[in-house]
Amino acid sequence: MSSNFPDLVQVKEKALEIRANSLKMIHAAKSGHPGGSLSIADILSVLYFGGHLKHNPLNSHDPNRDILVISKGHASPAVYSVLALAGFYPIADTMSFRQLGSKFQGHIDSLKVPGVEMSTGSLGHGLSNAFGFALAAKLDKSQRKVFAILSDGELQEGQCWEAFMACAHYKTNNLVAIIDRNRIQLDGGTETTMALDPLEDKLSAFNWETKTINGHDLEELDNALKEAYRVSEETNKPFAIVANTIKGKGVSFMEDAVAWHGVAPSDTDLEKALVELAGTK
Amino acid sequence: MGAAIEPSTEKIATRVAYGKSLVELAKSNQDIVVLDADLSSSTQTKFFAKEFPERFFNMGIAEANMVSTAAGLAKAGKIPFVSSFAMFATGRAWEQVRNSVAHNHANVKICATHAGLTVGEDGASHQIIEDIALMKSIPGMVVIVPADAKETEKVMQVVTAYNGPVYVRLGRSALPVLFDDKYNFQIGKANVIEKGEDLSIMACGIMVSAAVEAAKILKEKHNKSIEVINIASIKPLDTETIVNSALKTRNIIVAEEHNIWGGLGDSVASALLENCSEKLKFKRLGINDSFGQSGKAEDLLVHYGLTAENLVKLSLEMLDYQS
C-alpha cells in the first residue's frame, strides 16, 4: 500500500503523464473526452501519488484500500492512465481504448478494469455509489476513506442532491467529494446551460463542509484533503472540495474550449499538445 | 419440486412473508442491510428496522439515490435489500437499477411491493403493470414473482445465497397459501403444480392460485385435465418445462397480473416459437394494454378478467367446449 509523504515534484510529473497518455489514447481511438480528462489530472495525481488514496495494484480488492468513485465516467482516459501509472497494468495496454474487445471501455467499467470501483458514465450516480461505500465502512467500523470525483455539469441531475442530502443526514464524515468545477459542459458553459452558482452555498445549505480551491494547485489540493479529514472528524459532516479547474488544462488550444469536450485530437493536434505538455515539466 | 396442496383458507400477502423472512435471514447473516424510501410500514421492512436499526437505512422519498447507494453497499460486500413500491423501485429508478446495479453486477436485491392492480384503491398511478417488462429486459437481471407466502420465504433464502442482481415482485393483497415447507424454489425452474393432459395454464404471482382454482372447476364440472405450472422464475425461464408441457397439451394459456405486452406471456410465447414446430393454441391473459383504476383489489380483478372464472371460460373456448 502506498502512503508516502507527498512528493509534489513527482505528483506534478505524474499529472503530466496522465494528460499525455489520455490524449494519446483518445487520438488512437479517434474518440473520447479530452477536456474533462485534463481537468482532473491533478486531482487524480494528488490522490494516488500524494499519499491520500490507499491503493494496492497487486490486489485491487485489498480490504485495506480506500475507495475512489469517479462519477464522471467519461473522464476514462485520465482514470485508465492514473491506474496504469499506479501499477495496475502496463500503460501500453490502454492504447486499445474504445476498441472492440478492449477492457478500456468508453466509460469506466468496474468489471473489466482493476482499480475501477464502480462502472459509471450515466451522470449523477457516483455520489450515491460512494455514499453506499461510506455507509458500509461505518457499519464495518473501518477507517477506510471514500472519495468521489464529480463533474460540475452532472450536479444538474437531481439524484446528486438526493445524495448530498443523504450523506449529510447519515453523517458520512468518511466521505470527501471533489467537484471538478471546470464550468463547461457539452453544450456550453454551466452557467448559461443551467446555472450552478452559488455552488458552495448550496452545498453548505445541504449541511456539507465545503472548501473552494484551485484544482490545479497541488499544494492547495493536498492541504484541502488534509483539512477535509480533520474537519469532517470534528463536525461529523461530509466534506466537499470545490476544485476550480480549467477544462482542457495543460494544452493551450484545448483550455476552456467547449469544442474539446468530446472530440479526438488529430495527428497535428496531438503532436502540438505533447510538445506543450513536455515543455511544462 | 413442490407438492401441490389444497389452497389454505388462511391468506397472507407476499409482502408480509418478505418482511418476516428478512428478519429471520438477517439473524444469521450480518451482511444483510435494508434500504427503504419512506414506505417501510407498507413494504414491511419496518420489522427489520426495529430489529436491526443499525442495518436499516431509510433513504426518504428518493428512490434514485436509494438504488445507487445500494450498489455501493453491495460493492463493499453487503447484501442490500431495496424496498419501495414496485412503481418507484423499477419505474422511477429504472436507470439506476440498470446502470448502478446491473451493469456493475452489484449484489442488490430489489424487493418491491404493491405491484400490479391489487394495490387497489390507490389507482393507476401506483398500479405498475410494466415492471416485469422493465426488469427482464436488463441484461443479467433475475426476475422472480412468488405466488404465495411460503414461496416468498423460499425465494428469500435462495436470493440471499445467490450473488447478483435480482428483482422480486411482491404484492399488497393477502393470497391463499399454496405451498408447504417441502416446496423447493430454484432460480430458473418452473414448478408443475398439477399434471394434466388437455390444456396448460402457466401463471405467476396472484394468478397461480386462480389457475389452481380454475383447474379444479374444469376437472370437477367439465371433466378436463389441466396442467398448472407456476413460473415464479420469469428470468431465467424454464424453457424445458414449458415446452414439454406445451408439446403434451397443445393448448396453453399464460396468466399474469401485468400488461400482456412485455410480461410472462411474451416470454413463454418466445420460448415456444423458438423450440416447437408443432401447432399450438396460445392465449395471454393479462391486462390488455390499459391503465388500472381505483377500486377494491377483488373488484379490479373481476373487472379486468383476472379470475379463475375467466380462466375457466378461456380454457373451454380454447378446447372448443360444447355444453
Side-chain angles (χ1 to χ4, degrees):
Chain A
M1 308 292 281
S2 72
S3 56
N4 301 326
F5 188 78
D7 171 353
L8 292 183
V9 176
Q10 193 213 1
V11 173
K12 189 183 170 193
E13 276 172 15
K14 296 285 187 194
L16 286 172
E17 286 183 60
I18 293 169
R19 290 191 165 94
N21 195 64
S22 296
L23 294 177
K24 286 180 198 167
M25 288 169 66
I26 299 167
H27 171 260
K30 297 190 170 60
S31 78
H33 296 82
S37 298
L38 298 187
S39 65
I40 64 164
D42 297 308
I43 296 167
L44 287 173
S45 192
V46 167
L47 285 170
Y48 278 89
F49 307 115
H52 288 283
L53 181 82
K54 275 190 245 159
H55 58 280
N56 180 358
L58 301 177
N59 175 13
S60 59
H61 297 289
D62 190 325
N64 295 318
R65 76 194 189 283
D66 291 327
I67 299 292
L68 170 61
V69 175
I70 315 279
S71 192
K72 41 178 292 178
H74 59 283
S76 51
V79 178
Y80 298 149
S81 299
V82 77
L83 288 169
L85 294 170
F88 283 82
Y89 40 78
I91 200 157
D93 291 3
T94 62
M95 290 304 138
S96 64
F97 178 51
R98 286 181 173 246
Q99 302 305 305
L100 185 65
S102 171
K103 62 184 173 185
F104 300 103
Q105 295 289 297
H107 294 82
I108 55 176
D109 190 321
S110 68
L111 303 181
K112 293 192 161 85
V113 180
V116 171
E117 302 287 356
M118 289 302 296
S119 306
T120 57
S122 172
L123 294 172
H125 290 217
L127 184 59
S128 305
N129 299 152
F131 173 52
F133 276 104
L135 286 178
K138 290 264 176 198
L139 278 174
D140 294 338
K141 302 195 174 14
S142 153
Q143 292 305 302
R144 167 180 277 178
K145 290 197 287 287
V146 181
F147 301 91
I149 296 180
L150 316 178
S151 86
D152 53 356
E154 80 169 316
L155 301 185
Q156 291 157 0
E157 291 280 5
Q159 182 180 349
C160 295
W161 299 94
E162 293 181 4
F164 281 126
M165 196 161 34
C167 293
H169 181 81
Y170 280 100
K171 300 184 168 57
T172 45
N173 61 356
N174 51 350
L175 193 160
V176 181
I178 304 168
I179 296 162
D180 176 25
R181 185 74 173 112
N182 61 38
R183 308 188 85 86
I184 291 178
Q185 57 191 106
L186 193 147
D187 268 349
T190 57
E191 300 315 288
T192 50
T193 306
M194 184 53 68
L196 294 166
D197 279 336
L199 182 55
E200 204 178 325
D201 291 349
K202 286 179 174 137
L203 297 166
S204 299
F206 274 67
N207 246 339
W208 280 59
E209 295 290 345
T210 63
K211 172 112 182 159
T212 298
I213 59 157
N214 174 353
H216 300 304
D217 184 312
L218 303 175
E219 284 195 71
E220 278 194 39
L221 276 164
D222 181 52
N223 287 332
L225 287 163
K226 286 172 179 159
E227 184 179 331
Y229 314 143
R230 192 181 65 244
V231 171
S232 284
E233 180 150 349
E234 285 165 16
T235 63
N236 263 338
K237 290 181 183 180
F239 199 104
I241 297 172
V242 179
N244 283 324
T245 56
I246 295 168
K247 201 154 180 171
K249 171 71 178 177
V251 177
S252 60
F253 57 92
M254 291 184 179
E255 287 191 358
D256 260 334
V258 174
W260 284 101
H261 170 81
V263 175
S266 68
D267 295 352
T268 323
D269 293 334
L270 178 68
E271 204 176 319
K272 276 166 65 184
L274 293 178
V275 168
E276 278 194 24
L277 288 172
T280 51
K281 268 187 188 170
Chain B
M1 296 297 290
I5 61 164
E6 284 291 303
S8 70
T9 47
E10 181 196 21
K11 288 187 166 188
I12 307 171
T14 52
R15 65 179 166 131
V16 172
Y18 165 63
K20 284 184 181 162
S21 294
L22 264 184
V23 173
E24 284 311 307
L25 289 163
K27 284 177 185 167
S28 58
N29 190 328
Q30 298 300 313
D31 291 331
I32 291 177
V33 296
V34 176
L35 297 86
D36 205 305
D38 191 41
L39 288 168
S40 66
S41 296
S42 303
T43 63
Q44 305 287 302
T45 62
K46 65 179 175 184
F47 298 107
F48 179 96
K50 194 169 172 225
E51 196 85 17
F52 306 102
E54 72 291 351
R55 286 196 264 159
F56 177 80
F57 302 101
N58 198 327
M59 306 298 282
I61 308 165
E63 296 80 10
N65 178 55
M66 172 170 73
V67 171
S68 293
T69 299
L73 279 157
K75 285 287 200 176
K78 302 299 173 193
I79 307 174
F81 284 77
V82 174
S83 286
S84 176
F85 287 178
M87 180 69 249
F88 313 124
T90 72
R92 178 67 162 248
W94 183 86
E95 200 266 338
Q96 285 72 22
V97 175
R98 197 261 190 192
N99 278 322
S100 266
V101 174
H103 189 226
N104 278 291
H105 199 69
N107 192 21
V108 174
K109 319 302 171 186
I110 314 282
C111 295
T113 66
H114 294 64
L117 290 176
T118 47
V119 174
E121 292 82 349
D122 279 355
S125 62
H126 286 53
Q127 291 163 337
I128 190 163
I129 52 170
E130 305 93 346
D131 52 321
I132 293 174
L134 288 169
M135 291 294 108
K136 79 176 183 182
S137 61
I138 298 175
M141 196 81 191
V142 169
V143 178
I144 300 170
V145 185
D148 79 346
K150 182 54 73 178
E151 187 170 43
T152 303
E153 189 185 315
K154 298 284 182 175
V155 164
M156 286 293 290
Q157 292 164 5
V158 170
V159 303
T160 301
Y162 170 83
N163 182 21
V166 177
Y167 172 54
V168 182
R169 182 192 219 221
L170 302 163
R172 176 189 178 214
S173 303
L175 296 176
V177 177
L178 293 169
F179 300 107
D180 59 24
D181 258 330
K182 292 194 288 280
Y183 176 70
N184 174 28
F185 169 80
Q186 285 177 270
I187 292 172
K189 290 285 178 203
N191 157 234
V192 180
I193 293 184
E194 280 179 42
K195 289 194 183 300
E197 304 296 328
D198 299 327
L199 182 144
S200 307
I201 301 177
M202 304 182 185
C204 64
I206 65 160
M207 293 311 290
V208 176
S209 44
V212 169
E213 197 185 331
K216 195 175 172 202
I217 297 169
L218 284 160
K219 185 178 184 181
E220 290 173 358
K221 292 195 179 163
H222 305 283
N223 197 31
K224 295 295 176 193
S225 165
I226 306 298
E227 183 141 301
V228 179
I229 303 182
N230 168 31
I231 306 179
S233 180
I234 308 274
K235 189 183 160 201
L237 191 69
D238 185 352
T239 302
E240 191 184 347
T241 299
I242 290 166
V243 169
N244 287 343
S245 180
L247 290 176
K248 181 169 63 172
T249 66
R250 307 292 176 105
N251 294 293
I252 303 105
I253 296 175
V254 182
E256 59 188 320
E257 186 194 11
H258 190 274
N259 196 341
I260 55 168
W261 300 109
L264 173 63
D266 280 4
S267 291
V268 171
S270 304
L272 293 176
L273 266 174
E274 284 176 346
N275 294 285
C276 305
S277 52
E278 287 76 2
K279 193 175 174 211
L280 305 170
K281 284 190 188 170
F282 182 85
K283 171 84 186 163
R284 291 171 299 174
L285 173 60
I287 296 139
N288 195 7
D289 205 34
S290 68
F291 290 105
Q293 58 180 303
S294 290
K296 288 196 178 67
E298 56 270 30
D299 294 343
L300 286 163
L301 293 176
V302 171
H303 181 81
Y304 290 92
L306 300 180
T307 59
E309 290 71 26
N310 199 33
L311 273 172
V312 170
K313 178 172 161 276
L314 292 172
S315 300
L316 293 175
E317 281 169 12
M318 189 174 273
L319 294 168
D320 294 323
Y321 179 76
Q322 303 293 316
S323 59

